Amino acid sequence: MQLSIKKQTQILYGKHAIVIGGGTGIGLAIAQMLADEGALVTITGRNQDTLNAVTSDRIIGIAMDVRNETHVCRQIKEAVNINGPIQICIPNAGIAEGKALYKTTTEFWRNMMATNLDGAFYTIRESLNSMRKTNWGRVITISSIAGLKGQKGAACYTASKHGLVGLTRALSEDFIDTGITFNTVCPGYVDTPLVRQNIDSISKRSGLSKKNALELMISANRNKRLISTKEVAATVLWLCQYNSSSINGQAIEISGGQV
Ligand code: NAP
């Protein structure tokens, strides 16, 4: 009896959501929140063991490297075979590292773009095959405040995240008359493994202590604290709902204030 009441109130009951980079950090919080609302969730990442550690009756893990087009196409087909047509696509996989442009090698640039931008392009294109058939979908990319303003010392990351905002906005125009919406969320510093790695990187580059490097990131958020992964996930869940269908082509800041 309790189960059937829960089913009726689950706002994403039976929908297939794919969360790219869903085994850790922000992606994992999103995957868990969507699954709690009844979605069948596929999470991806490069490491199958990382994914296996967080799977459940509603979350399956399929390993893939978003930089590899053939791999993405094959694994998304596999996800559709298992969980049905994709209706919610969250391209979240990303890497972040600051580097002065004059020290940036082509290899570093290509790897950042391949992960943060090419990966989203492949994933969205393949997921749209499903959404166009059902004429309903939600694509929510995970950009950054660096997608809205220049991030000092991180030109490559900034360019990749601006690219993501542009891709999302353009697609919202292309699909304006359909049931598919495209939005992007732009978090400030969120408490995840990626930010913890950044503490080391900032401290190495600037000579700051690790404590001061963390303080620097915290003070960049307008509310002077790290954002929690659940705060980002809650915004994504809201955008996935039926009643959010008029929110389209938006870049939503989650940084405790205006950037
Ligand atoms: P995270 O825990 O390191 O998440 C990144 C995810 O991307 C991991 O699950 C990682 O899995 C996956 N990934 C990386 N390279 C990949 C590749 N080549 N192929 C497939 N998957 C790959 O860090 P996070 O903070 O949650 O970051 C998630 C997203 O939020 C990123 O796009 C990041 O730019 C963005 N963001 C984060 C913050 C922040 O402060 N944390 C702020 C703004 C925006 P594997 O390593 O196992 O492949």
Side-chain angles (χ1 to χ4, degrees):
M1 184 58 188
Q2 244 179 348
L3 249 180
S4 68
I5 291 169
K6 178 79 176 150
K7 257 188 198 178
Q8 283 166 21
T9 55
Q10 283 179 318
I11 46 188
L12 302 178
Y13 186 74
K15 295 220 173 293
H16 180 189
I18 187 161
V19 184
I20 311 301
T24 62
I26 293 171
L28 177 58
I30 294 170
Q32 287 172 333
M33 210 173 269
L34 300 186
D36 283 348
E37 284 304 334
L40 300 168
V41 183
T42 303
I43 54 172
T44 74
R46 284 166 297 181
N47 187 322
Q48 189 68 52
D49 290 340
T50 305
L51 302 176
N52 289 348
V54 293
T55 52
S56 67
D57 59 334
R58 295 210 149 262
I59 302 179
I60 61 160
I62 297 184
M64 73 182 195
D65 188 328
V66 287
R67 296 167 296 184
N68 181 330
E69 181 176 14
T70 314
H71 207 199
V72 173
C73 295
R74 193 177 60 225
Q75 300 303 67
I76 288 193
K77 270 201 188 104
E78 172 71 3
V80 170
N81 283 341
I82 298 170
N83 274 339
I86 293 168
Q87 298 205 281
I88 296 168
C89 171
I90 317 289
N92 158 79
I95 49 172
E97 194 183 330
K99 201 179 272 293
L101 195 76
Y102 70 90
K103 288 185 185 164
T104 298
T105 61
T106 305
E107 190 189 7
F108 180 96
W109 176 275
R110 273 304 329 143
N111 188 44
M112 182 87 72
M113 292 298 171
T115 310
N116 293 4
L117 200 49
D118 298 5
F121 155 55
Y122 300 143
T123 312
I124 296 170
R125 186 186 66 193
E126 295 309 301
S127 300
L128 276 171
N129 291 333
S130 293
M131 294 179 196
R132 289 171 65 208
K133 279 183 197 141
T134 56
N135 198 30
W136 192 91
R138 295 284 184 265
V139 177
I140 300 147
T141 56
I142 310 299
S143 180
S144 161
I145 50 168
L148 301 172
K149 64 167 196 170
Q151 188 97 349
K152 191 172 179 220
C156 183
Y157 182 70
T158 298
S160 73
K161 291 297 185 182
H162 269 67
L164 212 44
V165 173
L167 176 70
T168 312
R169 285 181 170 153
L171 288 170
S172 78
E173 291 295 329
D174 287 349
F175 286 82
I176 203 82
D177 294 327
T178 73
I180 309 169
T181 62
F182 297 81
N183 291 288
T184 186
V185 295
C186 301
Y189 289 101
V190 184
D191 195 1
T192 71
L194 195 134
V195 149
R196 299 285 157 191
Q197 280 164 26
N198 258 350
I199 294 175
D200 294 337
S201 152
I202 291 175
S203 143
K204 221 183 270 170
R205 277 185 290 129
S206 64
L208 287 173
S209 68
K210 289 188 182 178
K211 186 171 173 285
N212 288 345
L214 174 62
E215 280 305 319
L216 193 73
M217 286 192 269
I218 288 173
S219 64
N221 284 345
R222 298 295 305 280
N223 52 358
K224 306 294 176 218
R225 63 169 174 81
L226 290 181
I227 312 293
S228 83
T229 55
K230 282 191 176 166
E231 290 176 277
V232 181
T235 307
V236 169
L237 173 63
W238 165 65
L239 290 168
C240 288
Q241 297 178 25
Y242 284 95
N243 288 340
S244 301
S245 59
S246 296
I247 301 155
N248 198 6
Q250 300 304 306
I252 298 170
E253 294 168 30
I254 311 175
S255 60
Q258 296 174 73
V259 295

